[in-house]
Amino acid sequence: MNCRCNEELEYFVKEAKKVTKKGKVASYIPALAEASGDDLSAAVYYGDGTCLYAGDVKKVFTLQSISKVLSLALVLMDHGPNKVFQYVGKEPTGDPFNSIIKLETDNPGKPLNPMINAGALVVTSMIKGTSSADKIEYLLNFVRTLANDQSISICQRVSESEFETSMINRSMCYYMKEYEIFRGEVEEVIDIYTKQCAIQMNSLDLAKIGSVFALNGKHPETGKQIIPTDIARICKTFMVTCGMYNASGEFAIKIGIPAKSGVSGGIMGLSPNQFGIGIFGPALNEKGNSIAGIRLLELLSANYNLSIF
Ligand code: GLU
């Protein structure tokens, strides 16, 4: 990887860092509460394989909800969009990521989209394999291929911490099981899902994965088509419409790029046909997005005209 620290990016990171004090590190998954709130790092990975970074980009964090884009890509590749969208919808919700309410009021049992927990749990239940270990290994290998980094691993402590506390996620699985939308074994899927969310990497790897989506599924380092173009397109569209929780509309107006965030404070973004962005800033705003990460993207978008709209 041809990576170097970049002064301009460092300046924007320093600017954005000023807002970390106004955010709060997630604590509902106990192990996440240990992150240090004033961290902020960012990397930009270009289609030609060069990359720029600022901040402590070696710091490793768990993907949390960012993993939803990756499991979706894999499941769409294996089952095809028609089958997947029988069980999960394509519409934004306007509700928090773990909200259960629309499962009852809107098309009972069918989650509105794969970026909310209910939809992601259905997607995870469709990962191929003969055992839960097999399925998570399959997903992990796909993520390793996307990052072209075999060392990517799962943070056991974070996955166990979430597994013990995931009662709302379990509730949603049982609710959807009643409607035969969710067809897996609840404990097995919660096991895979919590491990999927605990896949850990640094912002350089995350930026590189973002660049695969930016290049319509083609890997900038290996030149291989990892994800078919039409599936990369579907994933990017979900990132635009539902990627930033119930702040996706505001994000689209203010920043205007496909992006997906997670409660660990990670954000994977991209500029189509140009580069991927990986950010880690664990202090979150009230909607659950990295507060300094959003500020940084606002600065980058305004300065480099990144909005796709
Ligand atoms: N593992 C987290 C959960 O299901 C992911 C949430 C997120 O990052 O939005 O609660």
Side-chain angles (χ1 to χ4, degrees):
M1 223 196 281
N2 174 11
C3 272
R4 59 195 162 81
C5 186
N6 177 267
E7 255 178 46
E8 226 166 284
L9 192 56
E10 265 192 331
Y11 167 77
F12 289 123
V13 164
K14 214 168 132 202
E15 273 304 299
K17 240 184 162 182
K18 292 180 183 162
V19 301
T20 51
K21 287 178 281 304
K22 293 191 195 143
K24 256 168 100 182
V25 167
S27 57
Y28 79 103
I29 299 173
L32 292 183
E34 295 156 18
S36 123
D38 56 359
D39 273 352
L40 183 65
S41 67
V44 180
Y45 198 95
Y46 289 89
D48 65 2
T50 55
C51 104
L52 306 176
Y53 65 81
D56 187 1
V57 276
K58 288 278 141 62
K59 227 173 219 178
V60 162
F61 54 94
T62 58
L63 289 181
Q64 298 303 327
S65 272
I66 301 169
S67 70
K68 289 168 177 165
V69 182
L70 313 183
S71 55
L72 176 68
L74 184 63
V75 163
L76 282 171
M77 281 157 65
D78 282 342
H79 299 278
N82 288 346
K83 169 113 187 262
V84 175
F85 294 127
Q86 257 177 284
Y87 300 103
V88 57
K90 301 178 188 134
E91 302 305 331
T93 69
D95 297 323
F97 68 99
N98 58 356
S99 174
I100 200 163
I101 190 161
K102 292 224 168 74
L103 279 183
E104 189 178 18
T105 58
D106 198 291
N107 200 350
K110 182 172 172 179
L112 275 164
N113 71 68
M115 298 294 114
I116 50 170
N117 280 13
L121 286 159
V122 170
V123 168
T124 297
S125 76
M126 296 174 87
I127 294 174
K128 280 190 173 168
T130 50
S131 64
S132 65
D134 207 37
K135 293 175 190 179
I136 188 66
E137 192 62 23
Y138 178 50
L139 176 66
L140 185 59
N141 279 330
F142 176 60
V143 177
R144 285 172 173 160
T145 307
L146 287 170
N148 195 24
D149 181 351
Q150 290 304 310
S151 72
I152 286 174
S153 62
I154 291 168
C155 177
Q156 216 63 32
R157 237 165 43 75
V158 170
S159 69
E160 279 166 15
S161 174
E162 187 179 3
F163 185 83
E164 282 158 21
T165 52
S166 283
M167 300 312 155
I168 297 177
N169 284 342
R170 284 180 172 86
S171 314
M172 290 196 279
C173 291
Y174 281 112
Y175 194 88
M176 295 186 289
K177 210 169 162 75
E178 175 72 23
Y179 291 91
E180 292 177 18
I181 290 289
F182 182 95
R183 288 153 177 262
E185 283 308 316
V186 175
E187 286 306 303
E188 184 193 89
V189 174
I190 295 289
D191 176 43
I192 303 166
Y193 175 77
T194 49
K195 287 181 176 143
Q196 151 189 335
C197 289
I199 294 175
Q200 57 185 351
M201 62 181 69
N202 60 35
S203 25
L204 290 172
D205 279 329
L206 192 60
K208 204 197 290 180
I209 296 181
S211 75
V212 176
F213 287 95
L215 301 185
N216 308 308
K218 198 170 165 177
H219 203 286
E221 274 178 342
T222 64
K224 285 195 189 128
Q225 189 76 34
I226 314 282
I227 303 169
T229 307
D230 59 325
I231 290 176
R233 184 178 57 79
I234 294 172
C235 294
K236 281 184 278 190
T237 312
F238 277 123
M239 288 164 77
V240 168
T241 56
C242 321
M244 302 303 285
Y245 303 118
N246 45 335
S248 299
E250 192 186 355
F251 185 87
I253 290 171
K254 279 197 180 155
I255 294 156
I257 60 167
K260 180 74 199 91
S261 63
V263 288
S264 52
I267 302 178
M268 177 178 81
L270 62 97
S271 176
N273 303 309
Q274 290 200 75
F275 53 75
I277 307 172
I279 293 176
F280 174 54
L284 307 180
N285 63 19
E286 70 291 347
K287 294 281 172 76
N289 291 312
S290 168
I291 191 161
I294 297 280
R295 180 76 193 116
L296 176 61
L297 286 173
E298 271 172 18
L299 292 168
L300 296 179
S301 181
N303 277 278
Y304 302 109
N305 245 322
L306 297 185
S307 178
I308 62 171
F309 299 107

